[in-house]
């Protein structure tokens, strides 16, 4: 399960940012936790390196904003990130169909 979770975290981050538009790190963690009813907590330690990798891949963009005297970095899905997310969704649907055809249901 840990390996599957690790492999899907980037896609979950992209999907949440696509839906919400823009979030900062803590807000992103909270949104995933709440929407998954606590089933998919994202730890702070791995989140920020993941966001950096996603930014280097140009899947997301960021901007800084000062809020109540604190600097926050807000993230947003880029057009390239949307294309990657669309491709992932197509592959996920195909994999799901194959598993169902083979009688492997959750």
């Amino acid at each position: 399960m840990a390996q599957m979770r690790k492999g899907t975290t980037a896609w979950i981050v992209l999907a949440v940012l696509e839906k919400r538009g823009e979030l900062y790190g803590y807000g992103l963690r909270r949104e995933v936790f709440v929407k998954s009813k606590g089933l998919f907590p994202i730890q702070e330690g791995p989140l920020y390196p993941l966001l950096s990798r996603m930014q280097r891949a140009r899947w997301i963009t960021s901007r800084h904003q000062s809020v109540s005297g604190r600097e926050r970095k807000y993230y947003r899905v880029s057009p390239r990130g949307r294309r990657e997310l669309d491709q992932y969704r197509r592959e996920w649907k195909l994999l799901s169909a194959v598993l169902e055809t083979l009688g492997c249901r959750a």
Side-chain angles (χ1 to χ4, degrees), residues 9-105:
T9 302
W11 309 113
I12 288 172
V13 166
L14 284 174
V16 168
L17 290 174
E18 180 184 58
K19 184 171 180 76
R20 289 293 309 268
E22 189 176 67
L23 286 168
Y24 61 102
Y26 177 77
L28 179 59
R29 288 179 59 219
R30 186 180 65 232
E31 183 75 8
V32 171
F33 186 81
V34 169
K35 294 295 184 183
S36 72
K37 296 181 170 82
L39 297 175
F40 201 94
I42 298 177
Q43 300 303 315
E44 186 176 352
L47 176 62
Y48 292 100
L50 172 64
L51 291 169
S52 291
R53 285 191 305 275
M54 292 172 72
Q55 200 163 7
R56 282 193 305 276
R58 294 186 278 149
W59 291 3
I60 60 173
T61 60
S62 67
R63 68 175 180 85
H64 290 86
Q65 181 177 331
S66 183
V67 177
S68 301
R70 296 183 63 181
E71 192 72 18
R72 285 189 181 160
K73 191 171 185 178
Y74 286 84
Y75 300 93
R76 168 182 296 277
V77 178
S78 69
R80 179 181 277 192
R82 280 190 180 81
R83 287 190 302 273
E84 292 290 332
L85 184 57
D86 288 343
Q87 178 64 32
Y88 177 80
R89 286 176 174 142
R90 284 190 295 275
E91 290 174 10
W92 183 261
K93 284 179 185 178
L94 176 62
L95 176 60
S96 296
V98 168
L99 289 172
E100 188 161 325
T101 299
L102 295 173
C104 304
R105 296 194 176 134

